[in-house]
Amino acid sequence: MDPFTALGVAAAVVQFTDFAIRLIQRASAPELQMRQEELEKGLREFAKLTNNIKTTSNVLIRPHRPLRPAETTLVQLCEECDRISSELPGELKEHWSQKRSENAIVAYVEDATLQIKSKLKVDNRKQRIGYLRKALSETKENLIFASFAVLWEEATLNSQEVNKLSRQQASMVDTLKRIDHTTRGLHQDIIKLSRTGPVYSSDRDPRAAVVNAIWGSKWTASGPSAAESLSKLVTETDTLNDLSPSLIAYSTDASDTITAQCVLRSIAFETLNLRHEAIPEAHQQTYDWIFEESDCEDKWDNFPEWLRGSGDPIYWVTGKAGSGKSTLLKYISNHAKTRELVQEWSGSRPLIFAAFYFWNAGTAMQRSQEGLLRTLLYQFLEQMPHLTPIVCPRRWAIAKLFGDKGMAQAPQWTWTELHQSFSVIASDLFLGKNVNMCLFLDGLDEFEGDLGKIIEFIQLFSSHSGVKICASSRQWNEFSDAFGRGPSLLLHVLTHADITTFTRDKFQSNQGFLDLQQAFPEEADAIMSQVVHKAEGIFLWVAVVMGALLERLTEGETLRGLQETVDSLPADLSELFDGIWSKIKPTQVPKSSQIFQVLLTSKAPLDALTVWLTEDDNALDFDYGQLTLTRHQQIIQLTRRRLNARTKGLVEISLAGDKVNFMHRTVRDWILPKRQFIFEKGPPTFDANLMLLKANTSVLQGIDTQGRVWETAQLCLLYASEIADTELNVPLMVTCLDQLHKNLTQRSERYFWQLQQRELLSLLSPHAVPPEPMLYLAAQYAVMPYLRHKVLANPSICKEHSSGFSILDDAVFGFLYDCPANPSQPPPKDYGRRHMVTELLMENGALEPRGEGRQRAHKKNKNKKCAAQNSYERVCRLSASHSRSDEFFFLTEDGKERLNYFDEVRKLFEKYGSFGQPETKTGIMGVFSKVWNSSSSSK
């Protein structure tokens, strides 16, 4: 059976059983008056779902071979649903028409549950309907698991076929061996679940059982589903026309299109398109030369010839900072001529276009390899959605069954999963045979990390026959060595004509210049030529200078005064920015310093409203109910005016007001060496982290998207963790975090679980809510001033709670926990501050259980360890106290610091409490030492 067919059957059963349960509940509830037309409509929809199960399950039976065990189970369960569906409509009609809810529904319950659960004995109508609903739910879950069992049985066989088909691919053989091994493991897990049925309490979401079954097994994204689907791609003709019938059907199935969109949303991140949108469009009639057939090989390599040719796969665009490399790449990637020429190279194969713009002034995703892979994966599947089950099989299966709610329960994307999914795209069985790809990568010099890694990625990816990459960067040695011998262009020596066009158009759009030009044509033209000459190919220099010159012309500047201004302009960008800074009015300099501090401190993209609120003393009282579109526009305009006065264009705001950032990366580069000097110009008590905490706490009140709520809340905690611990800052910080707690509680009493994922979560009730949850989060993020304020007011809050929650545990191990809200920005390590928080909590009784009842429980069951004892033993295992031998030298600096941190925490446990030494104090490094010594002695 085709795996996708099995999943289709499972999805059909989910719809059938869910609808049946809702229909029974609606028709049998005594307080609801169901109209006849409402009942008829419901039954018609029920009939459609019944036919859907029959249609999808008919393909399970194959006349030419016997059914496998999992397939037999699936067929039998489908038959159970069919028998239920044949009786339910009549019973519901009779119940409605005769109004005999006691008799008709009970009769149905007795008959239906006989077929599902072998004669359930019930005593009253409510119990019987409850049993019916439970039985239907169990049937649904058993069907889902049986479907998965079929899927993995088929995947096992097909993975063997792939192994035979790709013997010539040495790199794929090892992969397929791993696929075969992991497929068997997951297959056994699913078979076991399908036989025993899922076990879960009535208050837990049954989707979690299926999600855990898919994700919990030892299986990788390059495993069964990928192998099964890739085997269908590797055929004699090697074309997409040879895809299996199920995949062809998938590509036209509306429900599967929705499924693919669901997976796509899980890959996306907030700033995915932000940098592309922020890059200015090319000025009219500029950069057109890039598509001309050039014979000037000494200046630049023919770009159209590279696009349609099959030579070197990498074209390198380089040049000075501010020469317009990003604008050129955006212009090229969006131009129809590019697609036309690359399609000549691609021929009949489908062609994927993708682009990523590194931005070191943006978020972590905008400057990292993880952000690169997520963006490319998103763009690939956006253009080829029918390949989603091949590239992301696990997520596609979850989305197919449960949609966005199921995806919300799946783990966050990890680097490993991204790498595996991208490896499927980049396999030799795919690229160059079934699809080609043209990739644009801008700002390689803005990549955060080892430049060698991004260079290696480009070189490895471009080694496939179906890949072209156009990349841009500054003229750094690393990039010159890697790409300098291939096709390239040096942008700043090619833009003289473009800068002339830009300068002329800007001057001629100003009436003051036109008046001067009419009176003194030669002198006016000479000034224009001088500006172009001084630019030396740097577009950014011209853009900054023209703003100042046009302002002078508007004020009626004389020709001589204009000439003096042009003569005084420095050619170097850094000196130009120095000049702009010096022209900011002294009264505005402190405010300018504050804006720069906020921009450099921010951990997320800023908009006009957030910047506005950082300066608003009443930000926490901001009424979002009164934030009309008109008022929002007024705030944007006022913020724009403030930025213009305080930064003279060094900081810009987008037209829509949704982006506030430096005018260009070179502005940020200019500020960083002068950071201390510029910050000292601001008020000595100004704390950018505190202002951003205040602004984001206020902004959270107006957010209506749940995902953004948790991301913003996590940002607030990160800012709070870095606020200076001063007498002036603490009151506002406490007010902000208390307000944050109030806002989050109004949205969800269980918000604690939305913001952190504890390693020991399975030991606690999944619906438990810790007392004072903001305290636990503050401990996890090591917010010392807030915790001190709360603990000194009420020391008992430090103690272990009867529910099993421990603030001490969050303080000590908080940086090790995952953060589902924003995994790219985990809680801070800051071992020194964590040590201080830990000691504060221990001094105030954190090692003692809270309440007499809890203390009696400890005395009654002495064998059961308290949370503090468990934490102590865990600290001992992680500490460096028994790892002082030579292998300690081989750890990274952070590794050594972490081990020393746990060693110091161990001493605090022993100082403030009486703990028996753990049975073994051999930690991670001790194990390493044993292995190291044994291997050395064997030599």
Side-chain angles (χ1 to χ4, degrees):
M1 183 197 308
D2 190 283
F4 301 115
T5 302
L7 286 178
V9 173
V13 171
V14 169
Q15 291 178 313
F16 170 85
T17 53
D18 283 349
F19 188 84
I21 291 171
R22 290 198 303 270
L23 192 60
I24 291 171
Q25 183 181 18
R26 180 73 175 87
S28 60
E31 70 276 8
L32 297 176
Q33 299 298 322
M34 194 174 192
R35 299 189 304 273
Q36 181 176 1
E37 58 270 22
E38 185 180 355
L39 176 62
E40 294 293 340
K41 182 179 179 181
L43 291 176
R44 285 195 299 271
E45 183 63 27
F46 183 73
K48 291 180 182 178
L49 295 175
T50 302
N51 290 332
N52 190 23
I53 285 186
K54 291 179 180 179
T55 302
T56 55
S57 61
N58 283 339
V59 299
L60 300 178
I61 302 175
R62 297 181 179 179
H64 303 299
R65 71 163 177 82
L67 293 175
R68 290 193 286 268
E71 294 174 333
T72 301
T73 303
L74 192 58
V75 170
Q76 290 172 347
L77 290 169
C78 285
E79 291 172 352
E80 296 290 341
C81 282
D82 185 50
R83 282 193 288 270
I84 293 174
S85 69
S86 65
E87 299 184 23
L88 181 59
E91 295 291 348
L92 288 178
K93 284 182 180 179
E94 183 178 351
H95 163 68
W96 180 88
S97 61
Q98 298 179 10
K99 297 182 179 180
R100 292 186 295 108
S101 61
E102 290 282 336
N103 299 328
I105 292 298
V106 167
Y108 166 71
V109 170
E110 290 177 347
D111 188 29
T113 52
L114 266 172
Q115 302 172 54
I116 299 175
K117 198 84 173 175
S118 70
K119 291 188 177 181
L120 296 172
K121 296 181 179 180
V122 293
D123 298 326
N124 55 58
R125 184 177 68 83
K126 290 184 179 180
Q127 282 184 327
R128 292 180 182 184
I129 291 178
Y131 275 120
L132 174 62
R133 292 173 58 190
K134 182 179 179 181
L136 284 170
S137 297
E138 290 177 355
T139 300
K140 176 183 71 173
E141 298 302 329
N142 286 332
L143 275 159
I144 292 172
F145 287 119
S147 299
F148 276 112
V150 172
L151 188 153
W152 302 123
E153 279 182 349
E154 189 74 13
T156 303
L157 297 176
N158 283 330
S159 67
Q160 296 169 1
E161 294 177 19
V162 181
N163 206 355
K164 296 175 183 177
L165 288 168
S166 59
R167 290 186 186 279
Q168 71 279 16
Q169 303 290 342
S171 62
M172 287 297 292
V173 171
D174 292 336
T175 302
L176 292 169
K177 288 179 180 177
R178 291 194 300 271
I179 288 170
D180 182 62
H181 174 74
T182 55
T183 299
R184 287 196 298 270
L186 183 56
H187 171 232
Q188 293 302 319
D189 292 343
I190 298 298
I191 286 291
K192 185 187 298 182
L193 283 167
S194 68
R195 289 174 179 169
T196 61
V199 179
Y200 52 86
S201 61
S202 58
D203 61 341
R204 290 188 63 186
D205 189 341
R207 284 186 296 263
V210 181
V211 173
N212 291 337
I214 299 172
W215 224 273
S217 298
K218 297 178 180 180
W219 177 70
T220 63
S222 57
S225 287
E228 182 275 333
S229 300
L230 281 172
S231 70
K232 296 172 182 175
L233 292 175
V234 185
T235 61
E236 294 180 0
T237 55
D238 290 327
T239 67
L240 284 176
N241 294 328
D242 296 307
L243 284 172
S244 68
S246 64
L247 278 178
I248 294 173
Y250 169 81
S251 64
T252 58
D253 190 322
S255 66
D256 286 332
T257 301
I258 295 173
T259 301
Q261 289 295 321
C262 179
V263 175
L264 210 58
R265 285 191 291 273
S266 78
I267 303 171
F269 52 95
E270 185 179 2
T271 58
L272 188 137
N273 294 316
L274 195 61
R275 175 57 179 154
H276 177 269
E277 295 168 356
I279 296 172
E281 299 289 342
H283 187 71
Q284 59 183 355
Q285 297 181 342
T286 59
Y287 294 134
D288 291 346
W289 51 266
I290 192 68
F291 293 111
E292 296 175 1
E293 300 291 346
S294 170
D295 55 0
C296 303
E297 294 184 1
D298 57 326
K299 291 185 177 180
W300 61 295
D301 291 289
N302 191 310
F303 188 68
E305 183 178 315
W306 176 80
L307 287 174
R308 60 172 172 256
S310 56
D312 198 308
I314 301 174
Y315 195 102
W316 181 39
V317 175
T318 187
K320 295 180 180 178
S323 57
K325 299 183 292 295
S326 297
T327 303
L328 175 60
L329 250 70
K330 181 177 180 179
Y331 174 80
I332 293 171
S333 64
N334 290 344
H335 205 288
K337 188 69 174 177
T338 303
R339 296 179 179 270
E340 177 187 329
L341 292 170
V342 177
Q343 193 62 62
E344 291 184 31
W345 160 73
S346 186
S348 60
R349 292 195 193 109
L351 182 61
I352 301 294
F353 273 83
F356 184 77
Y357 300 82
F358 286 104
W359 177 234
N360 69 354
T363 63
M365 284 292 190
Q366 291 177 288
R367 55 180 184 264
S368 67
Q369 200 166 358
E370 180 184 353
L372 168 64
L373 287 194
R374 284 183 75 155
T375 301
L376 298 185
L377 189 59
Y378 180 93
Q379 294 176 357
F380 181 91
L381 294 178
E382 185 180 37
Q383 296 171 65
M384 305 286 280
H386 61 285
L387 298 180
T388 305
I390 300 174
V391 179
C392 309
R394 287 190 298 190
R395 291 188 183 272
W396 182 86
I398 293 171
K400 175 72 175 175
L401 293 171
F402 303 122
D404 287 318
K405 291 184 178 179
M407 291 303 294
Q409 293 179 324
Q412 294 287 336
W413 279 90
T414 62
W415 170 252
T416 300
E417 187 186 1
L418 283 170
H419 187 269
Q420 290 169 346
S421 294
F422 199 78
S423 295
V424 175
I425 296 174
S427 69
D428 290 333
L429 298 177
F430 199 33
L431 276 178
K433 290 191 176 182
N434 296 292
V435 68
N436 288 342
M437 193 170 190
C438 186
L439 177 59
F440 297 89
L441 296 178
D442 175 58
L444 302 183
D445 49 286
E446 302 193 45
F447 170 70
E448 183 179 66
D450 184 359
L451 293 179
K453 290 184 178 180
I454 195 64
I455 291 172
E456 182 182 12
F457 169 82
I458 293 172
Q459 291 174 333
L460 287 174
F461 193 46
S462 65
S463 64
H464 296 276
S465 60
V467 175
K468 280 184 178 292
I469 300 177
C470 180
S472 75
S473 73
R474 295 183 185 178
Q475 284 180 287
W476 291 0
N477 291 337
E478 295 90 339
F479 303 118
S480 295
D481 293 343
F483 311 128
R485 297 180 182 179
S488 63
L489 64 81
L490 195 59
L491 187 56
H492 60 266
V493 303
L494 299 169
T495 53
H496 184 274
D498 291 335
I499 290 177
T500 300
T501 300
F502 175 82
T503 306
R504 182 186 64 245
D505 290 349
K506 288 294 183 181
F507 270 131
Q508 293 184 348
S509 66
N510 183 277
Q511 188 60 46
F513 181 81
L514 292 176
D515 293 341
L516 281 177
Q517 190 178 41
Q518 187 173 6
F520 309 99
E522 293 183 4
E523 290 84 348
D525 289 345
I527 289 176
M528 190 159 51
S529 298
Q530 188 176 355
V531 170
V532 173
H533 176 73
K534 293 194 74 171
E536 296 182 349
I538 308 301
F539 246 114
L540 177 63
W541 187 93
V542 179
V544 174
V545 164
M546 288 303 300
L549 293 178
L550 294 178
E551 184 179 352
R552 296 287 184 89
L553 287 166
T554 301
E555 295 171 352
E557 181 64 275
T558 63
L559 183 64
R560 183 174 180 178
L562 189 64
Q563 182 65 61
E564 290 176 351
T565 300
V566 173
D567 290 340
S568 65
L569 290 172
D572 181 73
L573 277 175
S574 181
E575 293 178 6
L576 182 63
F577 296 148
D578 284 338
I580 294 173
W581 170 259
S582 67
K583 289 181 173 59
I584 296 174
K585 294 180 180 179
T587 55
Q588 295 288 359
V589 167
K591 293 292 186 181
S592 177
S593 173
Q594 291 179 19
I595 290 171
F596 288 140
Q597 290 184 58
V598 166
L599 279 171
L600 290 175
T601 303
S602 178
K603 302 178 187 300
L606 291 170
D607 59 16
L609 181 59
T610 305
V611 173
W612 169 274
L613 290 170
T614 60
E615 299 186 12
D616 188 351
D617 293 335
N618 300 314
L620 295 178
D621 299 322
F622 190 84
D623 187 357
Y624 280 84
Q626 302 297 319
L627 186 61
T628 62
L629 181 61
T630 301
R631 190 182 180 197
H632 193 198
Q633 290 299 321
Q634 291 170 345
I635 289 175
I636 292 172
Q637 188 56 38
L638 287 170
T639 305
R640 180 177 286 111
R641 183 178 294 276
R642 288 180 181 179
L643 293 176
N644 287 339
R646 296 170 184 176
T647 70
K648 295 298 182 182
L650 295 177
V651 176
E652 294 183 335
I653 181 171
S654 65
L655 188 63
D658 57 342
K659 305 179 194 71
V660 176
N661 213 326
F662 295 114
M663 174 187 64
H664 190 264
R665 172 207 171 168
T666 50
V667 178
R668 184 174 183 272
D669 293 343
W670 166 76
I671 288 177
L672 289 177
K674 307 173 184 291
R675 182 177 185 144
Q676 188 66 29
F677 169 77
I678 291 177
F679 283 15
E680 288 174 354
K681 297 295 182 181
T685 58
F686 181 78
D687 191 313
N689 282 297
L690 181 60
M691 296 302 103
L692 284 164
L693 168 62
K694 176 186 69 174
N696 279 276
T697 302
S698 177
V699 165
L700 185 139
Q701 301 176 59
I703 298 175
D704 54 8
T705 305
Q706 183 148 326
R708 283 200 60 214
V709 168
W710 309 129
E711 289 177 8
T712 305
Q714 186 186 351
L715 279 175
C716 290
L717 290 163
L718 286 168
Y719 291 132
S721 70
E722 297 182 14
I723 293 172
D725 189 357
T726 66
E727 186 178 350
L728 188 63
N729 286 348
V730 172
L732 180 55
M733 176 205 288
V734 171
T735 301
C736 288
L737 290 182
D738 286 346
Q739 181 66 42
L740 178 64
H741 168 66
K742 179 181 177 181
N743 293 340
L744 292 174
T745 303
Q746 290 173 350
R747 294 174 182 267
S748 169
E749 291 184 0
R750 298 182 64 248
Y751 76 80
F752 177 73
W753 297 115
Q754 301 285 347
L755 294 177
Q756 77 163 1
Q757 181 177 322
R758 300 166 59 90
E759 290 184 353
L760 305 179
L761 180 60
S762 59
L763 302 180
L764 304 171
S765 168
H767 288 272
V769 181
E772 307 94 15
M774 187 53 66
L775 289 172
Y776 291 78
L777 291 171
Q780 184 184 355
Y781 284 79
V783 187
M784 178 67 174
Y786 182 78
L787 287 167
R788 184 178 60 241
H789 176 85
K790 295 292 184 179
V791 166
L792 294 181
N794 181 15
S796 66
I797 62 177
C798 297
K799 299 179 180 180
E800 178 190 346
H801 195 264
S802 58
S803 62
F805 291 100
S806 168
I807 292 181
L808 181 62
D809 190 71
D810 282 289
V812 174
F813 306 109
F815 67 96
L816 298 175
Y817 299 147
D818 295 331
C819 296
N822 191 355
S824 65
Q825 294 185 342
K829 296 176 182 177
D830 200 331
Y831 300 122
R833 191 165 70 237
R834 286 195 177 277
H835 184 274
M836 293 170 57
V837 170
T838 301
E839 187 162 21
L840 168 73
L841 296 175
M842 289 185 179
E843 285 176 343
N844 288 275
L847 298 179
E848 303 170 14
R850 186 189 305 189
E852 295 181 2
R854 184 67 171 168
Q855 293 173 9
R856 286 196 299 269
H858 277 299
K859 291 178 181 178
K860 184 177 181 180
N861 187 2
K862 294 183 179 180
N863 293 327
K864 184 177 181 181
K865 298 176 183 177
C866 65
Q869 179 69 34
N870 287 327
S871 296
Y872 171 67
E873 293 183 5
R874 186 181 179 193
V875 165
C876 288
R877 290 194 300 270
L878 295 171
S879 72
S881 57
H882 299 285
S883 304
R884 297 293 184 182
S885 51
D886 292 341
E887 76 273 4
F888 189 77
F889 174 79
F890 294 99
L891 286 174
T892 63
E893 287 302 315
D894 180 68
K896 295 176 183 178
E897 193 177 357
R898 177 181 295 195
L899 289 173
N900 284 326
Y901 159 73
F902 282 118
D903 205 25
E904 293 301 316
V905 171
R906 178 188 59 79
K907 295 176 183 177
L908 288 179
F909 272 94
E910 294 168 356
K911 174 182 177 182
Y912 290 97
S914 299
F915 294 97
Q917 293 294 327
E919 294 180 4
T920 174
K921 296 180 69 175
T922 303
I924 295 171
M925 292 308 301
V927 173
F928 176 79
S929 178
K930 287 184 178 181
V931 174
W932 177 272
N933 293 332
S934 62
S935 62
S936 300
S937 60
S938 64
K939 293 179 181 179

